[in-house]
Amino acid sequence: MKTANATSRKRRSLGMLLTMVTVLCVAYPTTRRTRAQRGETNQAELVVRADQPQGKINRNIYGQFAEHLGRLIYGGIWVGEDSPIPNTRGIRNDVVAALKKLNVPVLRWPGGCFADEYHWRDGIGPRDKRPRRPNASWGGVDTNAFGTHEFMDLCETLGAEPYINGNLGSGSPQEMMEWIEYMTSDSDSSLARLRRENGRDKPWKVPYFAVGNESWGCGGEMRPEHYADEYRRYATFIKNYSGNHIQKLAVGSHDDYYAWTEVLMSQAAHHMQGLSLHYYTLPTGNWNKKGSATQFGENAWHATLARTLLMDEFIQKHSAIMDKYDPQKHVGLMVDEWGTWYDGDPGKDMGALYQQNSIRDAIVAGVNLNIFNKHSDRVQMANIAQMVNVLQSMILTDKEKMIVTPTYHVFEMYKVHQGASLIPIEMKAPEYRLGQSSVPALQASASRDAAGKIHISIVNLDPNRAAQVSTRITGATVKNITGRVLTAPAMTTTNTFDKPDAVRPARFTDFQLQGGQITLNLPSKSVVVLELLLD
Ligand code: AHR
């Protein structure tokens, strides 16, 4: 497949990096674990430094991404006004109702690779007159029924800020400039008039606009030096009309491609407000055989978590390069594509890049969101790939049916961190080992919201062992604790259209609060979010 080949080339280095780990894991069958090992409870210590609050966690870290790909837009969001599926102005009511509970802060559109082939004029005006174009990146024909007005309607309905990804690969600076004018100008210009004729009187606000996507790959196979020049040229024509203020985002790196960040920061940092980073978690690290979403054992579980934890290292190292050129951290690192990417399940082709989502994906989501919180001085946005029916999605649909995934529940539980102040933590936890490879058994994050409540999110990565976490909050007296826990009977448990609630959050009650000391008992393979009321 074209896409698989392209991505395998671009992500060449990561596969090699972890092949050794995989080999070692595979060489250590799960059955060798003794019964005693399986039954034990891990002991851990957590200190939450409530007296040392840090900067704000940008709520955009909890952002989403919706590309014209597979059944995301068409079928997943857009069904059209005449559909028997209940909708408002063509957008599915059930999907919108579910997404509203996540407080989606920002939504990236129309791609991805698709962004560099998208021409905005195709998607405005009467729908029956819009051209039908091949979707050259992902297959099929795009009717253009879902265009700028429909996307903005979706954002307004969700209360999400729009993040538009412009076309550098096959578009011109003029086309980009005119799209921005069409959307944001309140003047009497021809393009502003055209927007009004198409049904929108007042201009929209467009706070984020990206110049191309993956320009080192599907966006044009460019060298960083060439892209840096192209970026500067296109970015010059991103204008602010009628009080709109656009943050200009440049195409950043992927994985450990540090040379790209070095060039972009040294040559274009002063022209951008954000630089992207893409990193996908593949169980095997091999783009030609990624691993299954649903048929896997402990080796693949462990390898997936080891790989997803690399996000921390990638952010640290890209940030260190950014610090050299931008010590004041004016340029945000925007992780605008992240999540798991599996092989399609044979016999279950539900559209391009459709994949199921298990408790393993929930653990991946919790781990990554904790990492983004930790780096919230530099990470200003993150957009999981993708929102509906594609990759690590929040929602799966099948015609009129809809379910939410384990990943959805993590986003819903973690929304308490949005816009809160990061609180530093220290976690002393044993390693979760398999063969020669090990990852921390527990990983956490904490924040304090505007009302003064502390929220702690803790992930137990170990699929076999519960954990007892002795927790101390410094500089605060805890009056009351409530919490929720997400776990599942098996590593592979998913929500299905027949059993939509197999994985869903429950009240978390297994804790003691005694004289300032908190003891938490977490089940294996779980995500727990606590709310602490202080005296
Ligand atoms: O999210 C799917 C694809 O992955 C995006 O279109 C592209 O940017 C990336 O390679």
Side-chain angles (χ1 to χ4, degrees):
M1 193 172 86
K2 172 181 172 271
T3 315
N5 289 340
T7 40
S8 68
R9 260 183 284 124
K10 76 194 180 195
R11 276 148 182 143
R12 71 243 177 262
S13 50
L14 186 68
M16 283 161 61
L17 182 69
L18 278 164
T19 303
M20 242 173 62
V21 172
T22 307
V23 168
L24 291 166
C25 288
V26 169
Y28 188 85
T30 316
T31 46
R32 293 233 189 107
R33 298 172 73 90
T34 64
R35 283 216 175 86
Q37 274 178 319
R38 282 179 169 281
E40 276 172 22
T41 297
N42 282 322
Q43 301 291 327
E45 283 172 31
L46 173 64
V47 180
V48 178
R49 302 271 173 211
D51 45 353
Q52 296 169 22
Q54 299 182 343
K56 250 193 179 189
I57 297 171
N58 194 321
R59 60 192 298 260
N60 288 342
I61 282 176
Y62 293 81
Q64 300 283 334
F65 171 32
E67 179 166 12
H68 288 235
L69 198 180
R71 293 186 305 114
L72 199 164
I73 298 293
Y74 299 109
I77 291 174
W78 178 261
V79 287
E81 286 156 331
D82 300 332
S83 170
I85 298 174
N87 68 83
T88 303
R89 296 180 297 279
I91 297 172
R92 287 182 79 127
N93 292 347
D94 52 355
V95 169
V96 162
L99 289 172
K100 274 188 172 174
K101 294 187 190 146
L102 301 186
N103 295 353
V104 176
V106 62
L107 180 55
R108 178 178 182 232
W109 174 83
C113 296
F114 182 80
D116 278 305
E117 60 173 274
Y118 183 66
H119 299 283
W120 67 273
R121 280 190 170 83
D122 291 347
I124 57 168
R127 279 189 210 103
D128 58 353
K129 303 242 160 31
R130 296 185 192 174
R132 303 167 72 89
R133 307 265 188 225
N135 183 327
S137 295
W138 303 109
V141 167
D142 196 310
T143 61
N144 278 302
F146 192 89
T148 301
H149 290 251
E150 291 77 15
F151 170 67
M152 291 298 195
D153 188 11
L154 174 64
C155 287
E156 286 183 341
T157 308
L158 293 178
E161 287 189 307
Y163 163 8
I164 303 272
N165 205 118
N167 177 347
L168 167 80
S170 68
S172 67
Q174 183 181 1
E175 183 185 8
M176 202 178 256
M177 184 163 114
E178 290 179 350
W179 194 7
I180 293 164
E181 183 195 337
Y182 179 86
M183 291 185 286
T184 61
S185 171
D186 205 11
S187 76
D188 194 27
S189 74
S190 299
L191 283 173
R193 282 184 176 196
L194 182 60
R195 185 195 64 239
R196 291 188 192 102
E197 278 164 30
N198 287 333
R200 174 72 185 201
D201 180 23
K202 284 287 146 209
W204 296 286
K205 293 285 181 215
V206 176
Y208 310 102
F209 194 96
V211 180
N213 169 72
E214 298 197 346
S215 304
W216 36 261
C218 66
E221 298 280 352
M222 296 177 206
R223 293 172 301 106
E225 293 79 7
H226 181 73
Y227 174 74
D229 282 347
E230 286 290 282
Y231 171 78
R232 290 169 58 135
R233 173 170 170 239
Y234 276 66
T236 308
F237 299 98
I238 297 178
K239 307 284 186 191
N240 287 321
Y241 298 99
S242 310
N244 186 54
H245 180 73
I246 296 186
Q247 292 199 30
K248 303 177 191 180
L249 313 185
V251 169
S253 182
H254 66 87
D255 307 359
D256 58 354
Y257 186 8
Y258 300 115
W260 183 278
T261 303
E262 185 78 42
V263 172
L264 263 289
M265 288 304 291
S266 64
Q267 297 181 19
H270 298 307
H271 304 268
M272 65 175 83
Q273 282 74 50
L275 182 66
S276 66
L277 173 66
H278 291 181
Y279 173 52
Y280 285 99
T281 300
L282 281 60
T284 61
N286 176 355
W287 283 92
N288 295 318
K289 201 169 180 357
K290 298 179 267 298
S292 165
T294 50
Q295 311 288 313
F296 61 88
E298 192 174 349
N299 292 329
W301 171 281
H302 196 283
T304 304
L305 298 184
R307 285 201 167 80
T308 220
L309 281 158
L310 286 174
M311 179 67 90
D312 199 1
E313 178 187 324
F314 295 149
I315 291 176
Q316 274 181 43
K317 292 187 174 168
H318 286 290
S319 297
I321 296 168
M322 294 173 81
D323 286 348
K324 280 199 292 178
Y325 301 98
D326 175 36
Q328 303 295 322
K329 300 189 198 295
H330 294 306
V331 180
L333 184 60
M334 314 309 215
V335 189
D336 61 12
E337 286 186 33
W338 68 276
T340 51
W341 194 324
Y342 306 117
D343 295 318
D345 280 344
K348 282 204 180 156
D349 183 8
M350 303 269 282
L353 305 192
Y354 178 91
Q355 65 188 34
Q356 250 295 2
N357 193 295
S358 69
I359 186 72
R360 178 177 61 170
D361 295 85
I363 301 287
V364 165
V367 163
N368 279 280
L369 293 171
N370 284 343
I371 292 171
F372 300 147
N373 284 353
K374 179 171 111 181
H375 294 289
S376 53
D377 57 338
R378 180 63 84 175
V379 177
Q380 295 300 322
M381 190 191 291
N383 309 71
I384 190 166
Q386 297 196 12
M387 194 158 73
V388 186
N389 289 334
V390 168
L391 298 176
Q392 191 177 349
S393 56
M394 305 298 112
I395 289 174
L396 300 174
T397 66
D398 183 8
K399 300 184 187 78
E400 77 289 353
K401 288 184 268 180
M402 184 209 86
I403 55 173
V404 300
T405 64
T407 299
Y408 170 95
H409 289 305
V410 173
F411 271 73
E412 195 277 317
M413 290 163 74
Y414 272 57
K415 69 185 176 190
V416 290
H417 288 309
Q418 290 186 17
S421 302
L422 182 70
I423 297 179
I425 57 149
E426 290 142 37
M427 171 73 87
K428 271 196 216 149
E431 294 288 294
Y432 158 40
R433 290 182 196 284
L434 196 63
Q436 300 298 308
S437 175
S438 72
V439 296
L442 294 154
Q443 192 247 19
S445 177
S447 69
R448 189 168 188 159
D449 69 13
K453 285 183 271 184
I454 291 181
H455 294 102
I456 310 175
S457 46
I458 313 177
V459 185
N460 185 356
L461 285 71
D462 194 317
N464 303 308
R465 297 183 192 197
Q468 187 168 73
V469 187
S470 301
T471 305
R472 194 159 57 86
I473 316 291
T474 64
T477 309
V478 178
K479 199 163 65 178
N480 189 43
I481 302 178
T482 51
R484 286 193 296 160
V485 56
L486 189 74
T487 186
M491 289 183 291
T492 51
T493 309
T494 60
N495 289 338
T496 63
F497 294 102
D498 293 333
K499 285 195 181 150
D501 286 327
V503 186
R504 68 167 172 188
R507 268 185 70 208
F508 178 70
T509 52
D510 201 353
F511 62 85
Q512 293 90 44
L513 169 62
Q514 246 171 14
Q517 184 69 37
I518 304 165
T519 307
L520 310 166
N521 298 301
L522 273 64
S524 63
K525 50 177 163 5
S526 65
V527 179
V528 168
V529 176
L530 302 170
E531 179 165 293
L532 276 54
L533 286 185
L534 307 179
D535 245 346

